[in-house]
Amino acid sequence: EDQVTQSPEALRLQEGESSSLNCSYTVSGLRGLFWYRQDPGKGPEFLFTLYSAGEEKEKERLKATLTKKESFLHITAPKPEDSATYLCAVQALYNQGGKLIFGQGTELSVKP
Amino acid sequence: DTAVSQTPKYLVTQMGNDKSIKCEQNLGHDTMYWYKQDSKKFLKIMFSYNNKELIINETVPNRFSPKSPDKAHLNLHINSLELGDSAVYFCASSSRDGKDIQYFGAGTRLSVL
């Protein structure tokens, strides 16, 4: 069964304190791994897609990496505005209709 | 301009009532989705439509009936609401351009009393 597990569930950082969020997945052939950011009361906002092991994507203080079993979202020198829930999702190669399977998210809090 | 818009944003109703949530996208996408997010923020797909055709029906009770009048709209009608239906419902859309990036609406928070 296709599955996504994120850790930790919650992460508290001081401003400037770099860290990483983990997304472990099992899928019957990976079409893509997606990272989203979700702010309270809002819908998920797309950040990155990774398609193959070894691929990396960067955006401002965020960098996503992918292996055959997991993905990391590295946050460098975070700011309070980076506080949000970060969601990881996979799309299987053979699934119909573009279904995304989500993890439970990591709630990030960055204190000034 | 809002890319994916849902109405209403909040919906409070009594058990047993019937309610609808509307979704519209102006991105020109051909695939639309409904997801349910529970109290633990776990997002799970319910339905997927491509060009008005149902593609995914993810073991959702038949009290939930999606309707897609055209490619830009996907509505969700819920009959005989139950307490367990309380959640946030998100609409999303994507293009079959190989990237399959899904863009989400702001969500509809449904509370069944």
Side-chain angles (χ1 to χ4, degrees), chain B residues 20-106:
Chain B
S20 291
I21 305 172
K22 294 186 175 181
C23 178
E24 176 182 3
Q25 55 94 3
N26 63 5
L27 296 168
H29 290 165
D30 52 12
T31 306
M32 296 185 72
Y33 312 81
W34 278 110
Y35 285 84
K36 179 180 180 179
Q37 189 170 47
D38 61 24
S39 56
K40 295 186 177 181
K41 296 196 174 180
F42 185 62
L43 261 171
K44 187 170 182 183
I45 192 162
M46 300 172 69
F47 301 104
S48 166
Y49 266 76
N50 179 257
N51 281 324
K52 302 194 297 176
E53 181 184 348
L54 180 65
I55 303 297
I56 294 174
N57 182 339
E58 197 74 3
T59 59
V60 177
N62 57 16
R63 297 182 296 103
F64 290 78
S65 53
K67 285 187 171 56
S68 181
D70 55 58
K71 283 197 321 181
H73 296 84
L74 180 61
N75 303 323
L76 184 65
H77 187 76
I78 315 169
N79 289 328
S80 304
L81 278 155
E82 300 178 357
L83 292 177
D85 297 332
S86 295
V88 183
Y89 292 85
F90 286 98
C91 177
S93 73
S94 70
S95 174
R96 291 293 188 97
D97 59 358
K99 296 180 181 178
D100 289 330
I101 298 170
Q102 294 183 22
Y103 296 89
F104 286 78

Side-chain angles (χ1 to χ4, degrees), chain A residues 61-74:
Chain A
R61 294 175 294 282
L62 301 177
K63 179 180 177 180
T65 62
L66 180 66
T67 72
K68 288 187 178 180
K69 294 182 178 180
E70 57 191 351
S71 176
F72 290 95
L73 186 64
H74 306 280

Side-chain angles (χ1 to χ4, degrees), chain A residues 54-91:
Chain A
E55 189 175 359
E56 298 182 352
K57 294 266 179 82
E58 280 189 76
K59 180 180 179 180
E60 296 180 355
R61 294 175 294 282
L62 301 177
K63 179 180 177 180
T65 62
L66 180 66
T67 72
K68 288 187 178 180
K69 294 182 178 180
E70 57 191 351
S71 176
F72 290 95
L73 186 64
H74 306 280
I75 304 177
T76 303
K79 298 182 178 182
E81 53 261 43
D82 295 322
S83 297
T85 296
Y86 290 85
L87 300 169
C88 172
V90 296
Q91 192 176 64

